[in-house]
Amino acid sequence: MGERTVLVVEDEEAIAEAVCRRLESEGYRVLVACDGPEALRLHERERPDLVVLDLMLPGMDGLEVCERIQRDRWTPVLMLTARTEETDKVAGFGAGADDYLTKPFSLRELAVRVRAILRRIERIEERRERSGPIERQGLRIDPARRRVEVDGSNVAFTPLEFEILLTLAREPGVVFSRDELMERVWGYRDFAGGRVVDSHVARIRRKLNEDGNDPRFIRTVHGVGYAFKE
Ligand code: CA
């Protein structure tokens, strides 16, 4: 893998500068945008490997920027929020961020998360060729091509969503706690982990056209986590 590019979207100059310096010292090429439109322009032009995105931006807020980034060309997003409750709310909204970091955060923690997400996605993409397709109740998951078909139609998943679905579908009936999924898919655990997992599972279910009351594929085990239906 060559040099990785990280786009930092933050309107507070002091934070932007500190984040930028830290990530540069870790060997990343860093681009900085101070508002949404500039972020979208840089994302389109420079194709960063990851976006660190502040929620509170003047004009277009972080949620909208995140949604547009995910729509145009998927890139992992690490969202910066002010408080845990805000993280919960934003995660519930499901704009598609791959992780959240609550302000104030340490630069060390930020660097750890950035590295973990990039490494995880790299690993998911490298592992493509190994295993054969899995077929369950009209759902076909092909790890080699990283394709998912529901009743014969192709559905697009992000690498982390794909990894969650594959993890669950490989072992039908096995209940995975949110912490376990967080650790398996993201490679670490953290306090907001449950919310992040829930928001990803909600997106997966939407894409699979799941019926909330009678899911065909992913069952919620209340107070515990998720299991693929047997
Ligand atoms: Ca801000």
PDB file of all heavy atoms in Angstrom, residues 10-12 54 56-57 103, ligand 1:
ATOM      1  N   GLU A  10     -12.833  20.302   9.317  1.00  0.00           N
ATOM      2  CA  GLU A  10     -12.955  20.910  10.652  1.00  0.00           C
ATOM      3  C   GLU A  10     -12.843  22.422  10.502  1.00  0.00           C
ATOM      4  O   GLU A  10     -11.904  22.909   9.881  1.00  0.00           O
ATOM      5  CB  GLU A  10     -11.833  20.349  11.532  1.00  0.00           C
ATOM      6  CG  GLU A  10     -11.652  21.021  12.868  1.00  0.00           C
ATOM      7  CD  GLU A  10     -12.841  20.884  13.793  1.00  0.00           C
ATOM      8  OE1 GLU A  10     -12.957  19.848  14.478  1.00  0.00           O
ATOM      9  OE2 GLU A  10     -13.678  21.821  13.811  1.00  0.00           O
ATOM     10  N   ASP A  11     -13.828  23.137  11.073  1.00  0.00           N
ATOM     11  CA  ASP A  11     -13.798  24.589  10.931  1.00  0.00           C
ATOM     12  C   ASP A  11     -13.000  25.277  12.036  1.00  0.00           C
ATOM     13  O   ASP A  11     -12.674  26.447  11.914  1.00  0.00           O
ATOM     14  CB  ASP A  11     -15.226  25.158  10.881  1.00  0.00           C
ATOM     15  CG  ASP A  11     -16.013  24.806  12.117  1.00  0.00           C
ATOM     16  OD1 ASP A  11     -15.968  23.638  12.533  1.00  0.00           O
ATOM     17  OD2 ASP A  11     -16.672  25.701  12.667  1.00  0.00           O
ATOM     18  N   GLU A  12     -12.731  24.558  13.129  1.00  0.00           N
ATOM     19  CA  GLU A  12     -11.916  25.167  14.187  1.00  0.00           C
ATOM     20  C   GLU A  12     -10.455  24.994  13.823  1.00  0.00           C
ATOM     21  O   GLU A  12      -9.922  23.881  13.826  1.00  0.00           O
ATOM     22  CB  GLU A  12     -12.205  24.508  15.539  1.00  0.00           C
ATOM     23  CG  GLU A  12     -13.477  25.033  16.184  1.00  0.00           C
ATOM     24  CD  GLU A  12     -13.907  24.148  17.341  1.00  0.00           C
ATOM     25  OE1 GLU A  12     -13.302  24.273  18.416  1.00  0.00           O
ATOM     26  OE2 GLU A  12     -14.816  23.331  17.144  1.00  0.00           O
ATOM     27  N   ASP A  54     -15.852  16.674  11.169  1.00  0.00           N
ATOM     28  CA  ASP A  54     -16.489  17.316  12.310  1.00  0.00           C
ATOM     29  C   ASP A  54     -17.990  17.422  12.044  1.00  0.00           C
ATOM     30  O   ASP A  54     -18.416  17.761  10.931  1.00  0.00           O
ATOM     31  CB  ASP A  54     -15.873  18.715  12.488  1.00  0.00           C
ATOM     32  CG  ASP A  54     -16.421  19.427  13.719  1.00  0.00           C
ATOM     33  OD1 ASP A  54     -16.779  18.742  14.697  1.00  0.00           O
ATOM     34  OD2 ASP A  54     -16.495  20.663  13.685  1.00  0.00           O
ATOM     35  N   MET A  56     -20.204  19.528  13.615  1.00  0.00           N
ATOM     36  CA  MET A  56     -20.686  20.904  13.622  1.00  0.00           C
ATOM     37  C   MET A  56     -19.858  21.770  12.684  1.00  0.00           C
ATOM     38  O   MET A  56     -18.767  22.205  13.029  1.00  0.00           O
ATOM     39  CB  MET A  56     -20.604  21.479  15.047  1.00  0.00           C
ATOM     40  CG  MET A  56     -21.386  20.676  16.075  1.00  0.00           C
ATOM     41  SD  MET A  56     -23.149  20.687  15.758  1.00  0.00           S
ATOM     42  CE  MET A  56     -23.556  22.262  16.484  1.00  0.00           C
ATOM     43  N   LEU A  57     -20.418  21.996  11.508  1.00  0.00           N
ATOM     44  CA  LEU A  57     -19.737  22.832  10.524  1.00  0.00           C
ATOM     45  C   LEU A  57     -20.666  23.972  10.150  1.00  0.00           C
ATOM     46  O   LEU A  57     -21.885  23.812  10.203  1.00  0.00           O
ATOM     47  CB  LEU A  57     -19.418  22.013   9.266  1.00  0.00           C
ATOM     48  CG  LEU A  57     -18.405  20.879   9.387  1.00  0.00           C
ATOM     49  CD1 LEU A  57     -18.435  20.029   8.123  1.00  0.00           C
ATOM     50  CD2 LEU A  57     -17.007  21.428   9.627  1.00  0.00           C
ATOM     51  N   LYS A 103     -15.457  14.725  21.216  1.00  0.00           N
ATOM     52  CA  LYS A 103     -14.573  15.825  21.626  1.00  0.00           C
ATOM     53  C   LYS A 103     -14.751  16.094  23.120  1.00  0.00           C
ATOM     54  O   LYS A 103     -15.876  16.011  23.602  1.00  0.00           O
ATOM     55  CB  LYS A 103     -14.952  17.103  20.868  1.00  0.00           C
ATOM     56  CG  LYS A 103     -14.535  17.112  19.413  1.00  0.00           C
ATOM     57  CD  LYS A 103     -14.970  18.443  18.796  1.00  0.00           C
ATOM     58  CE  LYS A 103     -14.449  18.588  17.387  1.00  0.00           C
ATOM     59  NZ  LYS A 103     -14.822  19.888  16.800  1.00  0.00           N
TER      60      LYS A 103
HETATM   61 CA    CA B   1     -16.929  22.593  14.339  1.00  0.00          CA
END
